[in-house]
């Protein structure tokens, strides 16, 4: 068998064997004369014990409201989620409704596999509850400006830190960059072994590194008006060198292979005093440590005094192949409602995009979310738009930038070369995108 065919075959087996499927409800065949229920397939792109139970509860509630609609839930581990969807698209076997990463929208919209939701959204009585900025942002991710996703949750990165360790060491919480670096160094104790910090060196590393770099500089433009990428700005070079000085001294050497699970495990098992991640790992920390042993601080303001934040707003889409798009919209709009968003985000530790949900007890009683809302409203806060509108953004990150970052960690590639490569890759991709968009328009 040719190597290419063997690899594709392995991906197919991996993608379809690792997912789990449940039906809501699990009901007998309809009696004679009864109409069979409408069946929808819903795929969760980030399944796991900290998310799947809450989807199952939401789908149970949905069926109570719509007993004529049966929803089949499929949970897909994050490690293979893009492969699973790509294989489904290739074989024309897509779900009706799915949770999708915002980074996939440009790719899937360009392939023509997503259903535009503009008409459904405008007719939805609750559409004004979804923040305008989230809708405008989602439209900006695709060349035709259509709405292919309704965001239901958003987050941005924080420093999770062991409040008990910081108190014992007499350290200030990591609210400044100096506090962060001081904490990482002073909390390290090789005899335990315990490290002050755990970094993400493998899968997902570039996403988190992007947030760190722009937070440190305070720069909010990913591209300058003349199309130059700012990722290799001197302040980013300065920060990355200082950041890498922690590796193998104040972090474990094995961090070079860290994905999400490994990094979170280092924090939750007491092997690291800090990690950088978004709100989504909150419940993992609560279950492992208890709510009184850790805290969260927003990434500090930049060197220019401004706070630069990279936000992520994921949500739900309907695939064009759905035979029941009206029923699919009923499910999508139910998941986007105030009540559903409060339930979902309170349990996974993220922020709702439904602005009416911002007045919930969950938000009021969660200090770091209150700080996040205050930061969003602060005039000194700017948002960095990472160019995930580029259809090949994800592949460039996975195939080139993540491996190169590991070379930097291993000491075989200079920081300057890495950031210059990164800038050149994105500039070329952006130029191609703009030229293609101009030809279409």
């Amino acid at each position: 068998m040719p190597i290419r065919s063997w690899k594709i075959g392995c991906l197919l087996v991996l993608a379809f064997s690792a997912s789990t499927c449940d039906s809501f409800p699990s009901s007998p065949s309809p009696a004679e004369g009864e109409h069979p229920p409408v069946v929808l397939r819903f795929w969760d792109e980030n399944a796991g014990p900290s998310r799947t139970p809450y989807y199952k509860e939401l789908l149970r509630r949905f069926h109570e409201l719509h007993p004529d609609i049966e929803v089949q839930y499929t949970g897909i581990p994050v490690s293979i989620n893009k492969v699973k969807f790509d294989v489904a698209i290739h074989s024309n076997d897509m779900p009706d409704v799915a949770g999708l990463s915002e980074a996939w929208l440009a790719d899937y919209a360009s392939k023509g596999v997503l259903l535009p939701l503009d008409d459904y959204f405008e007719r939805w009585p609750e559409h004004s509850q979804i923040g305008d900025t989230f809708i405008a942002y989602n439209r900006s991710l695709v060349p035709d400006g259509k709405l292919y996703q309704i965001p239901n949750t958003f987050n941005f990165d924080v420093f999770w830190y062991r409040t008990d360790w910081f108190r014992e060491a007499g350290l200030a919480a990591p609210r400044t960059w100096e506090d962060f670096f001081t904490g990482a160094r002073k909390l390290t104790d090789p005899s335990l072994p315990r490290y002050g910090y755990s970094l993400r060196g493998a899968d997902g590393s570039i996403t988190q590194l992007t947030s760190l770099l722009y937070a440190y500089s305070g720069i909010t433009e990913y591209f300058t008006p003349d199309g130059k990428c700012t990722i290799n700005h001197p302040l980013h070079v300065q920060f990355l060198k200082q950041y890498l000085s922690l590796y193998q001294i104040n972090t474990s050497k094995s961090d070079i292979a860290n994905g999400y699970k490994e990094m979170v495990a280092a924090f939750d098992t007491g092997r690291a005093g800090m990690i950088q991640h978004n709100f989504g790992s909150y419940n993992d920390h609560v279950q492992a440590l208890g709510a009184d042993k850790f805290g969260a601080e927003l990434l500090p303001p930049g060197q220019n005094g401004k706070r630069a934040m990279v936000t992520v707003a994921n949500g739900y889409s309907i695939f064009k192949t759905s035979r029941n798009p009206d029923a699919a919209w009923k499910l999508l709009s139910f998941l986007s409602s105030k009540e559903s968003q409060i339930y979902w985000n309170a349990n996974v530790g993220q922020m709702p995009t439904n602005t009416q949900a911002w007045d919930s007890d969950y938000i009021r009683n969660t200090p770091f979310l209150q700080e996040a809302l205050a930061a969003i409203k602060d005039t000194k806060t700017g948002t960095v738009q990472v160019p995930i509108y580029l259809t090949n953004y994800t592949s460039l990150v996975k195939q080139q930038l993540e491996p190169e970052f590991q070379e930097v960690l291993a000491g075989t590639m200079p920081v300057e070369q890495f950031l210059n490569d990164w800038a050149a890759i994105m500039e070329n991709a952006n130029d191609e995108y703009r030229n293609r968009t101009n030809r279409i328009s």
Side-chain angles (χ1 to χ4, degrees), residues 43 57 60 163 165 177 193 224 249 260 328 352 357 390 398:
W43 285 8
E57 171 59 19
R60 185 196 65 76
T163 51
W165 293 9
W177 295 105
T224 62
I249 299 173
Y260 165 76
L390 302 173
K398 293 294 182 185

Side-chain angles (χ1 to χ4, degrees), residues 335-346:
L335 293 173
S336 302
S337 67
K338 173 185 174 181
E339 292 76 15
S340 293
Q341 282 209 22
I342 290 173
Y343 174 80
W344 172 256
N345 286 285

Side-chain angles (χ1 to χ4, degrees), residues 409-421:
L409 287 169
T412 58
M413 176 179 284
V415 166
E416 291 86 351
Q417 181 183 340
F418 169 59
L419 293 179
N420 286 337
D421 283 355

Side-chain angles (χ1 to χ4, degrees), residues 1 14 21 35 101-102 111 122 124 144 160-161 163 189 193 204 227 235-236 244 275 282-283 299 320 323 353 398 431:
M1 179 185 293
L14 177 65
C21 184
H35 294 289
S101 166
E102 62 171 14
K111 288 181 168 68
E122 290 304 319
W124 183 36
D144 60 12
W160 295 108
Y161 70 105
T163 51
D189 186 345
L235 283 173
H236 295 164
L244 292 175
I275 58 171
Y282 173 72
N283 281 339
L299 299 188
K320 266 189 176 179
R323 296 180 179 179
T353 60
K398 293 294 182 185
D431 288 344

Side-chain angles (χ1 to χ4, degrees), residues 13 21 86 102-103 113 117 131-132 165 170 233 248 273 289 302 304 334 340 392 395 398 401 407 411 418 427:
V13 171
C21 184
D86 287 347
E102 62 171 14
V113 298
L117 303 175
D132 292 340
W165 293 9
H233 189 278
Q248 299 189 65
L289 302 171
N304 60 5
F334 168 81
S340 293
N392 59 341
S395 61
K398 293 294 182 185
L401 295 180
E407 290 184 43
F418 169 59
E427 287 170 5

Side-chain angles (χ1 to χ4, degrees), residues 18-195:
S19 57
T20 60
C21 184
D22 290 283
S23 184
F24 295 87
S26 179
S27 55
S29 300
E32 185 176 351
E34 292 183 359
H35 294 289
V38 171
V39 178
L40 298 176
R41 293 193 298 162
F42 174 79
W43 285 8
D44 169 14
E45 89 289 5
N46 189 8
S50 61
R51 290 169 52 102
T52 297
Y54 309 116
Y55 266 134
K56 290 183 177 181
E57 171 59 19
L58 285 171
L59 296 179
R60 185 196 65 76
R61 296 179 185 183
F62 175 76
H63 181 66
E64 284 188 350
L65 293 174
H66 302 281
D68 57 331
I69 302 175
E70 177 181 331
V71 181
Q72 295 177 346
Y73 168 90
T74 297
I76 307 165
V78 67
S79 59
I80 61 161
N81 57 10
K82 187 63 162 59
V83 172
K84 168 89 172 179
F85 279 92
D86 287 347
V87 169
I89 290 170
H90 181 74
S91 58
N92 201 36
D93 186 27
M94 293 158 273
D96 297 275
V97 183
L100 293 184
S101 166
E102 62 171 14
W104 305 348
L105 283 186
D107 182 18
Y108 291 167
S110 69
K111 288 181 168 68
V113 298
L114 299 179
L115 183 71
L117 303 175
D118 305 77
D119 291 342
Y120 281 114
F121 183 71
E122 290 304 319
R123 293 197 302 266
W124 183 36
E126 301 171 36
H127 77 271
S128 62
Q129 296 179 15
I130 306 299
D132 292 340
T133 54
F134 300 116
I135 298 300
Y137 174 66
N138 272 42
R139 292 185 188 278
S140 74
L141 299 179
V142 293
D144 60 12
K146 293 182 179 179
L147 186 62
Y148 292 103
Q149 183 189 69
I150 307 300
N152 82 305
T153 185
F154 79 100
N155 57 62
F156 36 82
D157 283 5
V158 296
F159 284 132
W160 295 108
Y161 70 105
R162 288 291 300 266
T163 51
D164 52 345
W165 293 9
F166 271 72
R167 280 195 302 269
E168 291 168 6
L171 294 169
R175 296 190 181 98
T176 69
W177 295 105
E178 183 178 356
D179 290 339
F180 163 70
F181 283 108
T182 299
R185 294 186 176 108
K186 289 196 173 181
L187 291 177
T188 299
D189 186 345
S191 67
L192 292 178
R194 187 179 83 180
Y195 297 97

